[in-house]
Amino acid sequence: VQLQASGGGLVQTGGSLRLACEASGSTFDRHTVGWFRQAPGKERDLVAAISWSDNGSYYTDSVKGRFTISRDNAKNTVYLQMNSLKPEDTAVYYCASVYSSLAYLYRDQRDYLYWGQGTQVTVSS
């Protein structure tokens, strides 16, 4: 599975962006997909994840109510809608996936097998 992340850019505080993670080479309809981010000098952390079963999802506390993760299996794409963006959301965002027959919402990046390249999100104050 190859993942391609897109949709990053420069936006002002309070603005919105929608990131997309498109899979190729194989379908990932039975994959858990996560969005991670890494700010300069910081570790890469999980922002949100979505399973394939009933679209169960996880959000880190700092983005709850502002970000929404969703998937379109017909398009082999997972989205991260980011609203009310803040300067502290500035980071390189990565998508990652792993096959999970039990639709588990993995939270540790070491559990994810496939990674896309990063897309830069910059929120100006």
Side-chain angles (χ1 to χ4, degrees):
V1 177
Q2 292 84 45
L3 303 180
Q4 177 75 34
S6 63
L10 172 64
V11 65
Q12 292 183 333
T13 297
S16 299
L17 285 172
R18 188 176 78 158
L19 306 184
C21 177
E22 183 176 6
S24 61
S26 180
T27 61
F28 65 179
D29 55 321
R30 291 287 176 118
H31 282 216
T32 294
V33 180
W35 280 99
F36 294 79
R37 66 185 179 188
Q38 186 169 23
K42 295 187 177 181
E43 295 184 350
R44 186 165 57 185
D45 294 320
L46 178 66
V47 174
I50 188 167
S51 71
W52 57 264
S53 176
D54 295 325
N55 284 329
S57 59
Y58 163 84
Y59 298 92
T60 193
D61 286 345
S62 62
V63 307
K64 286 180 180 177
R66 301 189 297 123
F67 291 11
T68 302
I69 190 169
S70 62
R71 66 192 301 159
D72 185 338
N73 287 335
K75 295 183 178 180
N76 247 10
T77 301
V78 169
Y79 302 97
L80 185 68
Q81 177 68 44
M82 306 186 296
N83 299 327
S84 301
L85 282 162
K86 304 175 181 180
E88 50 264 43
D89 295 317
T90 295
V92 178
Y93 283 71
Y94 300 88
C95 62
S97 77
V98 59
Y99 176 81
S100 177
S101 60
L102 298 178
Y104 188 71
L105 281 170
Y106 294 97
R107 302 185 184 186
D108 190 329
Q109 61 178 310
R110 293 171 294 183
D111 293 317
Y112 287 80
L113 183 59
Y114 305 101
W115 288 83
Q117 89 295 354
T119 184
Q120 176 71 46
V121 172
T122 303
V123 184
S124 63
S125 58

